[in-house]
Amino acid sequence: MRLLVDSFYDHVQQDALSGPVFNGFAHVNGASHLPAMYDFRSSVLPGTSRCKGQPFPKHIPLPVGVAHFQRWLQLFYQPVDEHFSGTRTVEAKARALSIATLFEPRLSPRPALSVL
């Protein structure tokens, strides 16, 4: 799991779209963030219960939109394909898509409603 998470975050940090959010706006501290991600990924992939807490609220202030989620999925799928095969690959991608599908509409800016 560490290999997947480390590889993914290496790609995120270097990415032109995701890097500024991760490195700049969020000021992610790898020493504390990565162990939490190891636990999170371990809980959603093999089905352990190592991850406790609610990840969504921490993402609310991030300046992200649809393009960020699309890129996040691309960046996640790449190390999944490199390090997994078979049903694990399908399951990892399905879980990532499920997370993105839940988070994206709640975090992406939407135009304000107007009265006609």
Side-chain angles (χ1 to χ4, degrees):
M1 201 54 55
R2 289 179 65 110
L3 181 61
L4 170 63
V5 171
D6 290 347
S7 180
F8 168 68
Y9 280 105
D10 284 346
H11 292 301
V12 167
Q13 289 177 319
Q14 297 173 30
D15 185 67
L17 181 62
S18 301
V21 175
F22 184 85
N23 300 321
F25 186 86
H27 302 289
V28 175
N29 176 340
S32 62
H33 185 69
L34 290 177
M37 291 298 89
Y38 302 147
D39 287 347
F40 175 72
R41 286 289 161 206
S42 291
S43 70
V44 297
L45 274 179
T48 68
S49 57
R50 285 176 32 191
C51 182
K52 306 287 187 225
Q54 300 175 338
F56 181 77
K58 295 176 182 177
H59 292 82
I60 291 172
L62 298 179
V64 295
V66 174
H68 291 91
F69 283 92
Q70 291 170 339
R71 186 67 182 138
W72 178 82
L73 285 170
Q74 292 170 345
L75 293 172
F76 185 76
Y77 289 176
Q78 184 178 355
V80 167
D81 287 335
E82 291 171 3
H83 303 295
F84 293 96
S85 62
T87 58
R88 297 281 314 253
T89 302
V90 174
E91 183 179 346
K93 289 179 179 181
R95 300 239 179 160
L97 180 59
S98 176
I99 292 166
T101 300
L102 290 172
F103 277 35
E104 186 278 321
R106 296 173 69 195
L107 295 177
S108 294
R110 301 283 187 245
L113 295 174
S114 63
V115 178
L116 298 175

